Amino acid sequence: MTQVKKPSTEVGQVKRASLSDRLLSTKVKVLAKIILSVFVAPAILYGLFFLFLRYQTQLTRIEIKQVSVKEKRPVYWLYNAREPQSTGHLKHVIRVLERLGFERGSNESDWDLLWAHDYPFKNLYSQLYQPKPHQLINHFPGCGYITNKVDLSTSEGDFLPKSFKIPEDKDKLLEFVEKNPEKTFVQKSNAHRGIKIQRVQELNLTAVGSFVQEFIERPYLVDGFKFDIGIYTVVTSIDPLRVYAYKGDVLFRFCPVEYYPFDPENIDKYVVGDDYLPIWNVPSLKNSYTKLGLSMKESFDTYVRSTGKDPQRMWDACFDAIKNVLLQKEAQIRDVVEKRFRGTRRNFFELVRFDFTVDENLDVFMMEANMSPNLSSAHYPPNQLLYEQVLYNLFSLIGLAQRTRKDSLKPGSKEERDMVVADKNLVVLPEVCSECEDCFKVECQLCRFCFTDDTRRILTQTYWEHQNKMDYLRLFPPVIKKNMVLKDYSLRNQLLVRWFQGKCELDPTWCN
């Protein structure tokens, strides 16, 4: 077919139109790019920036979950038979234990310490008759032989006022009255309420569970006020016996009314009650206690020395009285422990407050021993320091305040135990032991090759107590002296005293 050629003029017009379109398209694109880069892009970027600022918390939030890892700690539990939910009177016990890293548990936990305000072995016998080796209980089975007021007051000793158990000792009382018509008496019971001086004719000589006690006349007075003294005492072991008295301070309680002129009808003159007069309100002692910052004991000692008398004789007599009472009662407590608690003695300790009265010659008379003594400062807030220091020093003495970090009182590895107390810390009497050929001789039992598990345990605990007694003073075993007579002690007590003699020979700091 024959092609028809377009005219050249038309072709030129088409080319010019195509070029114009391309130029326009290029200009539009350039303009669009300019608009996009100058206006739109910044607007988008600014928009995104402001959105980021507004929602940056949500956009950058990292969710952190707190994972608490509970640290295992030694466990204590409390027993209060009369008021199970009430622990306010044990506030300082709880506070000191928790400062030492203990946590409160129950009898169902694998506990390390039972602190019982009431005697626990009657109601909880099935749970306590065979405690685990690491568990400690703050009472000895049979401690009532010490803390029962009738049993204590009718014991033997010059430091006890003459007492008669009623009705068993009625005839002895009447005979004593006939020989000593000038004597006056009070009648007491374990309740320790309603004490009043009475004539013999007024006494109830048929009241079971009571006793009649000679009244100590002419007491030592400070500013005219009669007082009693409470000495906190710890028994850490029975058979062998180990006893410590807190020497950091003592509790002074004054009668709220001056003793003279004496009136037996006004018991506030001669009986220390719950609303006693505290030492900081006694004029002659106030300055020493409040301004100088002395302890109750030091404030009293300062006053006594200012009158020309020696208070140390009085304190020595108090300590001797405590030691003698506990030696008398030791065998009875030991029998209860061995018969009813499968022979274990390692799990118990006892904090007791022995109360004394003092006559004008500074002669002391033991009045009672308080099981679970009051440790609440609710009535007298300044006593808080005394109570918490008594407890802190106690827990150090018996090993609750450990120097090594532990989550329980359970024994650690042998290496850890040796780090604390090793056999080399226990051995004594090198000259004697070098001559021992067997373990039948008593002294040879203190030689390392004769150590039984029980001997090593006793000596280890004794060593710990000596190193950690802080403000507790050892009363028994007694101060080591030359030519000591040991025959009146039990065999276990003799052996422990002999060990202290051996330690004293090697290191004089062990003598006291």
Side-chain angles (χ1 to χ4, degrees):
M1 293 180 62
T2 304
Q3 287 184 332
V4 180
K5 293 184 179 181
K6 292 182 178 182
S8 60
T9 303
E10 184 177 350
V11 171
Q13 291 177 346
V14 171
K15 289 182 179 181
R16 285 194 298 269
S18 175
L19 179 61
S20 297
D21 291 341
R22 288 198 299 271
L23 289 173
L24 179 61
S25 175
T26 301
K27 290 179 180 179
V28 170
K29 290 180 180 178
V30 170
L31 182 61
K33 287 181 179 179
I34 292 172
I35 293 172
L36 182 64
S37 61
V38 173
F39 298 104
V40 177
I44 293 173
L45 291 174
Y46 277 113
L48 291 173
F49 177 70
F50 286 117
L51 285 173
F52 172 76
L53 291 179
R54 182 174 180 180
Y55 297 105
Q56 64 175 335
T57 303
Q58 288 82 357
L59 292 172
T60 61
R61 183 179 62 188
I62 299 175
E63 185 174 356
I64 300 175
K65 292 184 178 180
Q66 185 175 1
V67 179
S68 58
V69 179
K70 188 174 182 181
E71 182 182 17
K72 188 176 180 182
R73 298 188 290 167
V75 176
Y76 73 93
W77 67 288
L78 305 175
Y79 174 71
N80 188 5
R82 286 170 287 187
E83 299 178 77
Q85 304 306 317
S86 175
T87 59
H89 57 296
L90 298 176
K91 176 179 70 174
H92 298 305
V93 175
I94 296 171
R95 181 177 295 173
V96 174
L97 283 171
E98 294 186 350
R99 285 171 182 165
L100 292 172
F102 280 71
E103 63 180 352
R104 187 172 174 181
S106 68
N107 59 333
E108 296 179 356
S109 58
D110 187 16
W111 52 272
D112 297 281
L113 169 69
L114 163 59
W115 188 276
H117 185 69
D118 299 301
Y119 187 77
F121 303 109
K122 182 177 180 180
N123 295 336
L124 302 178
Y125 177 74
S126 62
Q127 301 176 51
L128 302 179
Y129 81 101
Q130 194 176 12
K132 297 177 182 178
H134 71 283
Q135 294 177 328
L136 292 176
I137 303 168
N138 72 318
H139 293 295
F140 273 94
C143 64
Y145 287 112
I146 301 169
T147 58
N148 181 284
K149 294 176 176 61
V150 178
D151 286 344
L152 175 64
S153 297
T154 54
S155 302
E156 297 294 328
D158 296 336
F159 48 86
L160 290 165
K162 191 69 176 177
S163 301
F164 303 88
K165 191 174 183 179
I166 300 301
E168 292 88 337
D169 296 335
K170 173 183 175 181
D171 293 338
K172 293 180 181 179
L173 168 63
L174 295 176
E175 182 181 347
F176 181 81
V177 170
E178 186 176 351
K179 294 179 180 178
N180 302 274
E182 77 286 358
K183 298 289 186 182
T184 54
F185 300 89
V186 292
Q187 188 164 12
K188 300 180 180 181
S189 67
N190 282 319
H192 194 62
R193 291 290 183 268
I195 297 175
K196 183 180 178 181
I197 295 176
Q198 294 174 305
R199 296 190 298 269
V200 174
Q201 296 83 354
E202 298 172 324
L203 297 172
N204 183 355
L205 301 183
T206 62
V208 177
S210 69
F211 63 100
V212 172
Q213 188 175 69
E214 177 188 355
F215 178 71
I216 303 301
E217 299 176 335
R218 296 186 294 279
Y220 189 92
L221 306 176
V222 178
D223 296 335
F225 298 102
K226 183 186 175 183
F227 59 89
D228 69 9
I229 302 170
I231 299 179
Y232 293 92
T233 304
V234 179
V235 181
T236 61
S237 174
I238 292 290
D239 193 34
L241 182 66
R242 297 196 300 274
V243 183
Y244 302 84
Y246 183 67
K247 62 182 177 66
D249 207 350
V250 297
L251 180 65
F252 274 88
R253 305 180 302 173
F254 290 81
C255 293
V257 179
E258 292 184 28
Y259 190 76
Y260 294 115
F262 186 71
D263 178 7
E265 295 300 317
N266 187 351
I267 63 173
D268 285 338
K269 287 178 171 287
Y270 59 91
V271 176
V272 175
D274 294 335
D275 295 319
Y276 62 84
L277 181 70
I279 192 171
W280 50 87
N281 286 336
V282 179
S284 291
L285 305 178
K286 181 178 181 180
N287 184 67
S288 294
Y289 185 77
T290 59
K291 185 177 181 180
L292 301 183
L294 298 179
S295 67
M296 297 188 199
K297 178 181 180 296
E298 291 165 343
S299 300
F300 175 79
D301 287 354
T302 300
Y303 172 80
V304 173
R305 285 193 295 267
S306 73
T307 67
K309 295 186 177 181
D310 179 16
Q312 190 57 47
R313 182 178 68 85
M314 181 190 78
W315 298 118
D316 291 341
C318 288
F319 296 149
D320 283 342
I322 294 171
K323 178 183 67 177
N324 290 335
V325 161
L326 291 168
L327 282 169
Q328 284 187 46
K329 304 296 184 180
E330 180 190 18
Q332 294 169 299
I333 298 174
R334 177 199 63 205
D335 290 345
V336 174
V337 173
E338 290 188 343
K339 290 177 182 178
R340 301 201 62 204
F341 291 83
R342 299 199 174 183
T344 181
R345 293 182 297 272
R346 74 178 66 182
N347 302 89
F348 311 108
F349 66 95
E350 191 83 36
L351 174 65
V352 182
R353 194 190 72 217
F354 284 94
D355 291 345
F356 293 85
T357 190
V358 186
D359 71 10
E360 61 185 1
N361 297 316
L362 290 182
D363 293 325
V364 300
F365 298 89
M366 182 182 288
M367 307 308 293
E368 62 181 336
N370 296 275
M371 183 189 78
S372 296
N374 176 39
L375 293 170
S376 171
S377 63
H379 202 32
Y380 296 99
N383 285 344
Q384 172 183 338
L385 178 62
L386 169 63
Y387 299 149
E388 292 189 358
Q389 287 193 329
V390 165
L391 289 166
Y392 175 65
N393 281 259
L394 163 67
F395 294 145
S396 174
L397 175 70
I398 63 176
L400 290 182
Q402 296 278 351
R403 298 187 184 185
T404 54
R405 185 179 179 277
K406 300 180 70 173
D407 58 14
S408 170
L409 297 185
K410 295 177 181 177
S413 65
K414 184 179 185 306
E415 289 79 8
E416 180 182 334
R417 297 196 305 271
D418 285 346
M419 178 187 71
V420 178
V421 184
D423 279 356
K424 76 177 186 63
N425 303 120
L426 308 180
V427 293
V428 292
L429 308 176
E431 292 80 7
V432 172
C433 291
S434 63
E435 300 294 330
C436 287
E437 296 180 355
D438 55 49
C439 300
F440 292 104
K441 187 178 179 181
V442 174
E443 286 185 326
C444 294
Q445 295 177 26
L446 296 175
C447 302
R448 184 175 183 269
F449 54 83
C450 290
F451 282 176
T452 64
D453 290 342
D454 192 46
T455 298
R456 182 176 279 106
R457 179 190 62 79
I458 291 171
L459 298 183
T460 297
Q461 185 61 33
T462 305
Y463 183 90
W464 169 277
E465 290 171 6
H466 179 81
Q467 301 289 23
N468 294 276
K469 62 182 184 295
M470 297 178 69
D471 264 343
Y472 275 96
L473 173 70
R474 190 183 80 235
L475 300 186
F476 193 90
V479 173
I480 301 303
K481 301 177 181 178
K482 292 183 178 180
N483 303 319
M484 295 180 68
V485 178
L486 308 183
K487 63 181 181 62
D488 294 332
Y489 298 148
S490 69
L491 291 178
R492 281 178 175 264
N493 285 338
Q494 289 183 38
L495 195 63
L496 188 58
V497 173
R498 187 70 185 97
W499 182 76
F500 269 99
Q501 289 177 324
K503 292 295 289 184
C504 177
E505 292 171 5
L506 297 172
D507 179 356
T509 63
W510 282 81
C511 301
N512 297 322

